[in-house]
Amino acid sequence: MLKSRSSSSRWPTTPHGGGWIPHGYHLAPHSHPQGQLVYAAAGALATTTERGTWVAPFNRVTWTPPGFVHSHRIYGKTDARLVAVPADRCGELAAHPCVCAVSPLLREALLVLTDREEVRPGAHDRLLAVVIDELAESPEQSLHLPEPRDDRLRAVTDLLHADPGRAATLVELGRTVGASERTLSRLFHTELGMSFHRWRTTLRVHHALVHLTNGWSVTETAVECGWSNPSSFIDAFSEVVGQTPGRYQANLRGDGP
């Protein structure tokens, strides 16, 4: 039986359920024999595997298949919901960790699964089938930040992780780490599957989500994360997240639809 949501400020110890988790909470790397969905009904969380980091605000859900070592970090006070997917059902979902959009139906099913005790036999299994059906139709979202293996490329991404707002060009970063712009550009595409600009934009959006969740203004967030003006930040954020920073904050406050 699924366990109902706890009010404690600890990561749930059962495979199903949830609780309010404080900002900054970190769950060390671990794995599960079953698949796991983690949904932040409020707040935001990051999930990290050897393939990189995924950030999931309230309009995204993180999927981790069985056997993948992963860790979680919480940003802002977060209402974290966990749903375990039996191994024999995981073949219907992606074979790799990812973040998917949360439709209104998927959100309500996740909330019911983690909020209510099962009243009628089989009710939770039927709801889980709805969740799997919705996820199977939901496109993967672009909040994945892959991490490199090449030492030269890792030196560059480490610099940007330390200061996401750093305005250095790839040429300038290459000089710092001793690699040419051409080499680094090739490595971004071959190792990470995206351009330098796209990778840095995604990194900045990750940090922007954290700042917005913590109550920073759109302008403060834009400046801190390296955008030259709020308009360019709003455009980039909207492209990656699927809504404007203002709408994201309104939904955090419960003012959104």
Side-chain angles (χ1 to χ4, degrees):
M1 180 182 293
L2 300 179
K3 300 299 182 181
S4 61
R5 188 163 63 100
S6 167
S7 61
S8 65
S9 296
R10 296 183 303 132
W11 193 263
T13 57
T14 57
H16 306 278
W20 284 97
I21 315 298
H23 170 71
Y25 182 91
H26 178 252
L27 188 65
H30 62 286
S31 64
H32 305 284
Q34 70 274 74
Q36 187 181 69
L37 294 164
V38 184
Y39 174 55
L45 64 91
T47 300
T48 299
T49 75
E50 62 178 7
R51 299 189 177 201
T53 299
W54 288 256
V55 169
F58 65 90
N59 60 351
R60 301 287 192 272
V61 61
T62 299
W63 162 243
T64 306
F68 274 88
V69 176
H70 60 285
S71 62
H72 299 294
R73 184 173 294 279
I74 294 296
Y75 295 106
K77 186 179 180 183
T78 295
D79 182 4
R81 309 298 185 96
L82 278 66
V83 174
V85 178
D88 61 357
R89 302 295 304 275
C90 292
E92 302 175 54
L93 301 175
H96 53 271
C98 61
V99 165
C100 294
V102 174
S103 67
L105 176 59
L106 178 55
R107 173 181 166 83
E108 291 307 313
L110 290 169
L111 294 181
V112 171
L113 275 172
T114 52
D115 257 343
R116 298 182 189 171
E117 296 289 344
E118 187 173 51
V119 177
R120 298 177 60 193
H124 281 154
D125 283 342
R126 291 190 290 273
L127 268 178
L128 182 59
V130 171
V131 167
I132 291 173
D133 283 344
E134 284 293 290
L135 284 171
E137 297 296 324
S138 178
E140 293 182 26
Q141 299 296 304
S142 54
L143 285 171
H144 174 217
L145 190 71
E147 293 297 338
R149 292 183 173 85
D150 184 275
D151 290 341
R152 296 161 295 179
L153 193 57
R154 183 172 290 278
V156 170
T157 58
D158 284 348
L159 289 172
L160 295 173
H161 274 297
D163 182 9
R166 186 172 183 156
T169 65
L170 193 56
V171 172
E172 294 166 337
L173 291 167
R175 291 196 191 110
T176 301
V177 304
S180 70
E181 177 190 22
R182 183 176 180 179
T183 296
L184 292 173
S185 179
R186 174 179 57 80
L187 287 170
F188 267 102
H189 283 281
T190 57
E191 281 213 7
L192 306 182
M194 61 180 67
S195 68
F196 163 67
H197 174 74
R198 182 67 179 182
W199 190 93
R200 181 162 66 178
T201 296
T202 305
L203 171 70
R204 288 175 170 179
V205 169
H206 278 202
H207 283 263
L209 282 165
V210 174
H211 293 321
L212 293 170
T213 299
N214 289 333
W216 289 35
S217 73
V218 171
T219 299
E220 289 171 332
T221 301
V223 171
E224 178 68 18
C225 293
W227 277 278
S228 58
N229 58 71
S231 295
S232 59
F233 164 54
I234 292 170
D235 289 343
F237 186 93
S238 300
E239 179 189 359
V240 174
V241 179
Q243 58 185 198
T244 66
R247 174 57 61 192
Y248 173 75
Q249 286 194 309
N251 284 327
L252 284 177
R253 296 191 301 267
D255 301 334

